[in-house]
Amino acid sequence: MFDMKVKTLLAVIESGSYTKAAQKLNLTQPAVSHQIRLLENEFDIKIFYRSKNKLKLTPQGKILVQYARRAAAVYSNACQAIEDSKTETSHLNVGITPTAGETIIPQVLATLCNENPDIHINISVNTIQKIYSRLKAYELDFAVVEGGVPDAALVSTTLDTDYLCLAVSPMHRLARAKTVSVEEIRHEKLILRSRSAGTRQLFEKHLGARDMSLEEFNVMMELDNVSMIKELVTMDLGITIIAKSACREELASGRLAIIPIENSSMVRQIDMVYQKDFLHPELIQNIRGIYEQLKAK
């Protein structure tokens, strides 16, 4: 059912050469070249710029590859859905942003699987931009994100709201403060998420509204592992700006102190996002119910 020409194109893109694609597909190199020419003739385009060193996509080639990947994902989903129908099971690919992954969301999804043995979930953690792209390409069934993904083609339902705060070690001088101003942390050693992270962008937006810039602060380290950031902060090696829900366990155990930031409106939604034709919309309400139960504990 899946077009051999499209399969060949994706093999060329993934391997980076016609020769390696031929080896992967058990074809001759001329056969691979023929499949690519057929695609070019079908759409009346050139897919690659001609170069001896490496393959470089033309603008039209980039568009074709984007839709080829989407077609491959849809075909894979169809195969899985048909197999699931035969075995009365459900295999789901779920995307989670790093901060959402540090909340009770993984526990919620594990509880869902325990209560429904016919459900199998594969979780991938990634930035909100990459999760958005994978949702649009049908590579993910649904996602749990903080910050939301505004797109008319996607359905978004709010699971919870969260806000950013300052997290410090219990040994830190600010640990017993009731609130803290951004000016008070200007010279502290900050450990932050990377520039692409929604948490980081929301903090920078807050600073911009106050005519301030992150360049005025002492950003000691940037990394995209939320667990590692929290661990470094518990060791009093720096402080961080983080979603409160991501510190639930550390706050309960006394390993971190959480301080609200004065005059802050850094509120974020935790949303479940999925395509309009998602095959299991009933799971969304099920997940919401499990989330509320676990949150109340």
Side-chain angles (χ1 to χ4, degrees):
M1 177 180 173
F2 192 53
D3 195 316
M4 185 61 190
K5 301 189 296 294
V6 176
K7 185 177 181 180
T8 302
L9 173 61
L10 292 178
V12 170
I13 293 298
E14 290 168 7
S15 62
S17 77
Y18 281 40
T19 302
K20 292 179 181 178
Q23 293 171 350
K24 181 178 180 179
L25 297 171
N26 292 319
L27 297 173
T28 63
Q29 185 171 329
V32 170
S33 299
H34 177 66
Q35 294 294 330
I36 298 301
R37 281 197 300 272
L38 288 176
L39 269 179
E40 291 182 326
N41 292 337
E42 181 177 343
F43 291 97
D44 192 24
I45 63 170
K46 290 295 182 184
I47 297 175
F48 298 105
Y49 290 113
R50 303 307 174 192
S51 173
K52 294 182 179 179
N53 299 323
K54 62 179 181 178
L55 294 173
K56 184 179 179 182
L57 289 166
T58 64
Q60 296 77 25
K62 290 180 181 178
I63 294 171
L64 186 58
V65 168
Q66 178 184 352
Y67 281 93
R69 285 175 171 154
R70 185 177 301 182
V74 170
Y75 177 70
S76 177
N77 290 345
C79 292
Q80 186 64 68
I82 290 170
E83 189 61 31
D84 286 351
S85 178
K86 293 177 182 177
T87 58
E88 297 184 346
T89 58
S90 296
H91 288 78
L92 301 171
N93 293 311
V94 181
I96 303 179
T97 50
T99 299
E102 292 293 324
T103 66
I104 61 172
I105 295 300
Q107 185 182 352
V108 169
L109 296 178
T111 302
L112 176 70
C113 291
N114 272 279
E115 293 179 355
N116 301 271
D118 57 322
I119 294 178
H120 304 269
I121 291 178
N122 176 46
I123 295 176
S124 59
V125 179
N126 221 318
T127 63
I128 193 168
Q129 292 86 355
K130 290 182 178 179
I131 284 177
Y132 168 80
S133 296
R134 295 192 67 195
L135 273 171
K136 293 282 285 183
Y138 284 87
E139 293 175 1
L140 296 173
D141 292 292
F142 71 91
V144 183
V145 304
E146 8 78 56
V149 183
D151 192 288
L154 299 173
V155 179
S156 180
T157 179
T158 300
L159 186 62
D160 204 350
T161 55
D162 199 4
Y163 67 91
L164 301 190
C165 55
L166 180 70
V168 303
S169 160
M171 299 176 283
H172 195 274
R173 67 177 185 86
L174 294 172
R176 292 175 179 78
K178 292 184 178 180
T179 61
V180 64
S181 66
V182 289
E183 289 80 4
E184 288 181 87
I185 63 174
R186 191 192 295 257
H187 302 295
E188 294 288 339
K189 296 176 181 178
L190 275 174
I191 304 174
L192 297 179
R193 296 277 305 283
S194 65
R195 295 177 185 273
S196 62
T199 301
R200 165 77 170 264
Q201 292 172 2
L202 186 58
F203 180 49
E204 291 199 59
K205 183 178 179 181
H206 173 71
L207 292 179
R210 299 175 63 82
D211 294 321
M212 300 176 73
S213 166
L214 198 56
E215 294 178 358
E216 303 171 36
F217 290 73
N218 178 22
V219 181
M220 179 184 76
M221 185 180 293
E222 301 173 51
L223 63 159
D224 254 338
N225 188 309
V226 179
S227 294
M228 192 177 295
I229 291 176
K230 291 190 294 183
E231 188 62 28
L232 292 172
V233 173
T234 63
M235 298 166 66
D236 203 26
L237 294 175
I239 65 175
T240 192
I241 305 296
I242 195 170
K244 184 182 178 183
S245 63
C247 301
R248 181 185 175 103
E249 293 183 6
E250 291 81 7
L251 187 59
S253 64
R255 297 180 66 227
L256 282 179
I258 300 298
I259 305 104
I261 298 173
E262 291 178 3
N263 303 316
S264 171
S265 58
M266 294 185 287
V267 178
R268 305 201 78 189
Q269 291 183 180
I270 299 176
D271 291 338
M272 288 182 287
V273 188
Y274 50 95
Q275 292 276 5
K276 291 179 179 179
D277 55 358
F278 177 45
L279 293 177
H280 306 283
E282 72 283 354
L283 288 181
I284 301 303
Q285 288 304 318
N286 199 347
I287 290 170
R288 183 191 299 279
I290 295 172
Y291 184 90
E292 293 298 332
Q293 290 174 14
L294 293 178
K295 183 183 175 184
K297 289 183 178 180

